[in-house]
Amino acid sequence: MAASPHSPNTPFRRLRGRHSPAEFAAMVRRAAKEIGETVSCDARYIGRVESGEIRCPNYAYERVFLHMFPGRTLADLGFSPRETVRGRLAQREQAASLAAFANRAHPTGASSPSRSKESDVLRRAFMAGGSATVAAATLGLTLLGEVRAPLASRAGEAEAAAVEDAVRQIRLLDDRHGADALYRRAAEPLRTAYALLDAGATRQSTEDRLHAGAGELAISVGWLAHDSGRFDDARSHYAEALATARVSGDASLEAHAFSNMAFLARDCGRPRESVRAAQAGRRAARSLGSPRLLSLLALREAGGWAGLADRKACEEALTRAHTEFSRGEAGADPEWMSFFGEAELESLESRCWAALGEHARAARHARRAADLQDPHFARNVALYTAELADNLAHAGAPDEAAWAGGRVLELLNEVQSTRIQSMLAATARTLVPHQRSPRVGAFLSRHAQA
């Protein structure tokens, strides 16, 4: 029988068995990979399901759960039917508020009463894939369909959950398509999230979730700006997230903001600032109980030391990163860190050796990163392969570099990322002296046409 509102989901709890929430969340993530789906499941999400707070999962989680428990329905898993959770009245209110928001954003545009229903259709289309252009054209509708415009009443659990889901959607679309086509659309739900926060919440726990969700959304939008080369915009969004973290006393959000600020500083050619930001993030993360987070922050610090040409400090930070990473996953790992696996560790280490001028060594790590990365995440495969191409070009292996560059060109048919395009352009310039090689010449010709 489906769980009633605010009642514990005992069927789902029974299915977890003796596994801890963190262990079960890891099982959910593995099951998602088996069917080519992406969910950022953690112990907190499992707790929300079991408490009855999540009465019906979104479409991505639905597919994963039904894959994990074949032959069962959502009702068998303790969930309520989607139509009873949302309800006709909720759908009408959602459509009206979305139309009002759309009219404010685009005064000359016509609104449609069927937008709430369309939002679900678009979500299913996104989960199944599609071009970045289509995603960009409809992202604002999909995300804003889940967050009502601020009303006179205060925000509740539904609004907080919608902001959290917007963060997950942006991360998913970025993984699949890259940042360029998504950035400007993603700014709309960010404004809505902070408007909800300004309106206040019905309970302190809800306000805490809104602070965390709005801060994570600011970081996600900042990353889209960062990856698409809009560094000033990225810096502003990251600073907004850091301010939100400090106002709410959220150490996890603060560590996340500093991690991204360290990454941005390195890309902007400010390595000392990168080191300081990474160290500040480590201080914020010390009490969180997440070795993987400490590992990532150590890698951010290593990148800054490499930019300063301080090999000894870089190697010390890399050693810390590997030590913390070897401790494995923990229930306290933040949801946003689902991207940080062995492939990302190899990639970040590769960048350190490249900055220190050891391109052959950097190429070995970049190759491992590309080989380890799940091909479902096209953007990261393209990024790691672009890093490989550039390191091979500088390591005196032009034909291999041209092959890797050609692979990146193929991936750029489905990924839009200024960062990757810039890296590939730099590789092409490095390979110009070797253009008499048939393989290099073919790559340079394809790159020029692209």
Side-chain angles (χ1 to χ4, degrees):
M1 182 176 179
S4 60
H6 310 300
S7 65
N9 186 335
T10 51
F12 195 90
R13 173 63 187 89
R14 284 196 296 269
L15 289 170
R16 174 161 67 85
R18 296 183 178 180
H19 297 287
S20 71
E23 291 170 340
F24 193 71
M27 293 169 60
V28 172
R29 294 195 298 270
R30 286 195 295 270
K33 287 185 177 181
E34 291 173 2
I35 60 172
E37 192 53 80
T38 304
V39 294
S40 300
C41 189
D42 59 3
R44 182 185 176 195
Y45 180 87
I46 298 301
R48 291 174 60 203
V49 171
E50 293 179 358
S51 70
E53 180 182 340
I54 295 178
R55 297 172 57 200
C56 185
N58 66 27
Y59 290 104
Y61 276 103
E62 176 182 343
R63 283 189 289 275
V64 176
F65 291 151
L66 296 183
H67 169 68
M68 291 178 69
F69 305 107
R72 289 183 169 90
T73 65
L74 284 182
D76 296 332
L77 302 181
F79 293 110
S80 299
R82 195 175 306 280
E83 59 271 17
T84 64
V85 172
R86 302 185 68 178
R88 293 183 178 181
L89 178 59
Q91 290 183 20
R92 287 199 296 270
E93 290 177 349
Q94 184 186 71
S97 61
L98 176 59
F101 192 99
N103 287 337
R104 286 197 296 275
H106 306 286
T108 60
S111 60
S112 167
S114 64
R115 282 187 176 179
S116 178
K117 183 176 180 181
E118 183 181 355
S119 176
D120 288 338
V121 175
L122 290 169
R123 183 192 299 278
R124 288 195 293 273
F126 284 150
M127 295 305 129
S131 73
T133 303
V134 173
T138 51
L139 176 63
L141 175 62
T142 305
L143 297 181
L144 289 171
E146 300 298 327
V147 183
R148 62 187 176 93
L151 303 177
S153 59
R154 293 187 172 189
E157 295 294 303
E159 285 74 23
V163 172
E164 292 164 350
D165 195 47
V167 176
R168 296 185 185 102
Q169 284 195 61
I170 288 176
R171 289 173 183 160
L172 173 62
L173 291 168
D174 176 48
D175 283 338
R176 292 186 176 180
H177 305 297
D180 285 22
L182 306 178
Y183 171 58
R184 297 205 178 280
R185 290 285 180 174
E188 292 295 330
L190 178 60
R191 283 192 285 271
T192 301
Y194 274 95
L196 289 169
L197 192 57
D198 288 342
T202 54
R203 292 184 294 180
Q204 183 61 48
S205 60
T206 304
E207 187 159 333
D208 291 343
R209 285 180 61 190
L210 279 173
H211 269 101
E216 290 293 344
L217 196 53
I219 291 175
S220 293
V221 176
W223 165 246
L224 295 179
H226 182 170
D227 195 43
S228 57
R230 300 173 174 93
F231 290 166
D232 288 342
D233 287 355
R235 190 178 182 87
S236 175
H237 288 306
Y238 292 160
E240 185 173 37
L242 181 59
T244 302
R246 288 183 163 170
V247 164
S248 58
D250 189 331
S252 179
L253 178 60
E254 183 174 347
H256 191 184
F258 274 127
S259 173
N260 279 50
M261 292 171 83
F263 192 5
L264 177 64
R266 193 214 67 165
D267 282 355
C268 291
R270 297 193 296 268
R272 195 168 299 280
E273 180 183 327
S274 181
V275 170
R276 290 198 301 269
Q279 291 173 339
R282 184 174 63 185
R283 289 192 293 272
R286 277 175 181 164
S287 63
L288 298 177
S290 173
R292 287 290 168 91
L293 177 54
L294 292 173
S295 175
L296 176 60
L297 289 163
L299 285 162
R300 298 286 191 231
E301 184 180 342
W305 289 125
L308 291 168
D310 190 330
R311 182 188 179 97
K312 183 175 183 295
C314 177
E315 289 181 336
E316 289 174 352
L318 286 174
T319 298
R320 289 202 313 273
H322 282 278
T323 299
E324 295 292 353
F325 189 88
S326 68
R327 301 185 194 280
E329 296 181 341
D333 291 343
E335 181 178 348
W336 60 267
M337 285 196 66
S338 58
F339 79 97
F340 183 58
E342 192 175 357
E344 181 70 9
L345 183 147
E346 292 286 349
S347 171
L348 293 176
E349 182 166 356
S350 171
R351 294 173 204 174
C352 290
W353 295 119
L356 291 170
E358 296 195 26
H359 293 288
R361 189 170 184 176
R364 290 196 294 272
H365 287 283
R367 191 186 302 277
R368 281 202 290 270
D371 290 342
L372 288 167
Q373 180 59 54
D374 185 335
H376 186 66
F377 299 106
R379 180 206 169 271
N380 279 2
V381 175
L383 174 63
Y384 301 156
T385 308
E387 291 172 346
L388 173 61
D390 195 58
N391 283 307
L392 288 170
H394 284 93
D399 282 353
E400 287 186 74
W403 171 85
R407 175 65 180 135
V408 177
L409 284 174
E410 294 170 4
L411 291 166
L412 287 177
N413 290 326
E414 54 182 304
V415 173
Q416 294 187 13
S417 168
T418 296
R419 169 190 296 275
I420 297 172
Q421 292 168 351
S422 298
M423 291 173 62
L424 197 61
T427 300
R429 290 192 295 271
T430 302
L431 290 176
V432 167
H434 307 278
Q435 59 187 319
R436 291 185 179 179
S437 162
R439 179 173 287 181
V440 173
F443 163 69
L444 292 176
S445 176
R446 287 180 61 195
H447 180 265
Q449 292 174 358

